[in-house]
Amino acid sequence: MAAQPHDLLAAIGGVPVPPGDVVVEATDVHKWFGRLHVLKGVSMTIKRQEVVVVIGASGSGKTTFIRCVNHLEKIQQGRIFVNGHLIGYRETGGRLVEDRESNIARQRQEIGMVFQRFNLFPHMTALENIIEAPIRVRKIPQDQAIETGKALLARVGLAAKAETYPAQLSGGQQQRVAIARALAMKPILMLFDEPTSALDPEMIGEVLEVMKELAREGMTMIVVTHEMGFAREVADRVLMMDDGLIIEEGTPEHFFQNPTHERTKAFLSKIL
């Protein structure tokens, strides 16, 4: 049964508002894994309340890029700012020097991430998974964290599953718990890395519905996905990545009615 969230962000007191209109500013981002040049100069600007969907074939650099946004992967060149803060580094003499782990952890508090695999703690209940970081990282009082956690579970249609362990939940339910867990930290930005790719087909809709609700309520989002229906309905912009570069971007109408790059046309012809 699909989740029926309502006022999802009300559970965390509404959407946190960054001081400016630009939430993400990435400039000339390069990433190597050894000799493999994975990102070859990616630049991207994402404004507050914008939903950007990133598409492309496997190996195009989509997942690597969003992992760089919250410094799960280190970059070797370029700059990524989130909410006005340089992510993962500080500048010394025009060079990037990796920041202290405590500062990086503080920056990550503003960035929620939902992975392909749910990454829930198997020894914790759904509610315990959600309240762990707010209590330990944000130092939110336990009673307040529990109240928020229960409200989030209710909003994603899982109020009855608070005391249930991940192994007892379906894949779609686990992913909805993972979304609630990310939201509990009151992020300014949400990153989704192919959040439905590990799900059975009948469970995809319930996760996408939660994501649609987040978009409707104004959460700033970067979504890596092959769900073209979601991109058509929800995205403000769609970006096509190929071989470590953004080769085309535009509105959903542009992408699905009149793409210009031959690689984009070929990719869409295989998945639509």
Side-chain angles (χ1 to χ4, degrees):
M1 181 178 174
Q4 298 296 326
H6 177 67
D7 291 336
L8 187 57
L9 296 177
I12 58 171
V15 184
V17 179
D21 285 336
V22 175
V23 176
V24 180
E25 185 73 53
T27 306
D28 194 31
V29 174
H30 289 255
K31 170 67 182 176
W32 283 264
F33 289 110
R35 294 183 178 181
L36 182 61
H37 197 180
V38 180
L39 299 178
K40 300 178 180 179
V42 175
S43 296
M44 182 187 305
T45 299
I46 297 174
K47 295 184 176 181
R48 180 158 52 96
Q49 298 188 338
E50 192 173 21
V51 178
V52 174
V53 170
V54 184
I55 65 173
S58 178
S60 61
K62 313 181 301 296
T63 289
T64 298
F65 175 74
I66 66 167
R67 288 176 63 87
C68 291
V69 171
N70 65 356
H71 202 63
L72 290 177
E73 297 289 353
K74 301 175 184 180
I75 64 175
Q76 282 82 42
Q77 185 177 320
R79 305 287 188 275
I80 300 176
F81 291 86
V82 175
N83 196 24
H85 305 303
L86 180 61
I87 293 296
Y89 299 93
R90 51 190 171 82
E91 292 201 43
T92 302
R95 293 175 57 250
L96 290 182
V97 177
E98 192 163 15
D99 210 342
R100 293 191 300 271
E101 187 58 39
S102 59
N103 288 338
I104 294 170
R106 192 175 307 113
Q107 292 170 337
R108 285 196 184 119
Q109 292 179 26
E110 298 183 340
I111 306 170
M113 185 160 186
V114 178
F115 301 87
Q116 296 178 37
R117 296 288 174 178
F118 324 119
N119 290 358
L120 299 177
F121 296 117
H123 62 289
M124 294 183 178
T125 65
L127 180 60
E128 288 169 343
N129 265 280
I130 292 169
I131 68 175
E132 176 75 3
I135 291 172
R136 290 185 176 273
V137 179
R138 285 204 179 272
K139 308 302 180 185
I140 292 174
Q142 182 171 326
D143 289 350
Q144 181 182 337
I146 289 173
E147 181 181 355
T148 299
K150 287 182 176 179
L152 282 168
L153 281 172
R155 296 301 194 275
V156 298
L158 295 173
K161 301 293 185 180
E163 303 305 319
T164 304
Y165 288 91
Q168 300 168 306
L169 298 171
S170 70
Q173 289 171 334
Q174 289 186 61
Q175 195 62 296
R176 283 186 276 156
V177 172
I179 294 172
R181 178 179 61 179
L183 289 174
M185 291 293 285
K186 302 184 177 182
I188 285 171
L189 170 69
M190 285 286 287
L191 307 175
F192 292 87
D193 180 18
E194 299 192 33
T196 60
S197 65
L199 301 179
D200 293 334
E202 65 269 21
M203 297 176 184
I204 290 173
E206 63 191 47
V207 173
L208 292 178
E209 187 56 39
V210 174
M211 294 169 62
K212 290 174 185 176
E213 185 68 18
L214 276 178
R216 286 191 288 265
E217 293 182 22
M219 175 60 73
T220 308
M221 299 161 62
I222 306 176
V223 183
V224 171
T225 186
H226 292 300
E227 298 294 336
M228 295 300 104
F230 176 86
R232 284 178 187 270
E233 182 179 347
V234 179
D236 295 299
R237 279 187 294 144
V238 181
L239 278 61
M240 172 75 183
M241 287 192 69
D242 185 58
D243 194 27
L245 291 166
I246 296 171
I247 62 170
E248 188 163 358
E249 67 176 284
T251 64
E253 291 76 16
H254 161 81
F255 257 83
F256 298 115
Q257 296 175 18
N258 192 33
T260 58
H261 199 288
E262 290 303 317
R263 184 69 186 92
T264 306
K265 295 176 183 177
F267 176 76
L268 290 174
S269 72
K270 293 177 182 178
I271 63 174
L272 292 179

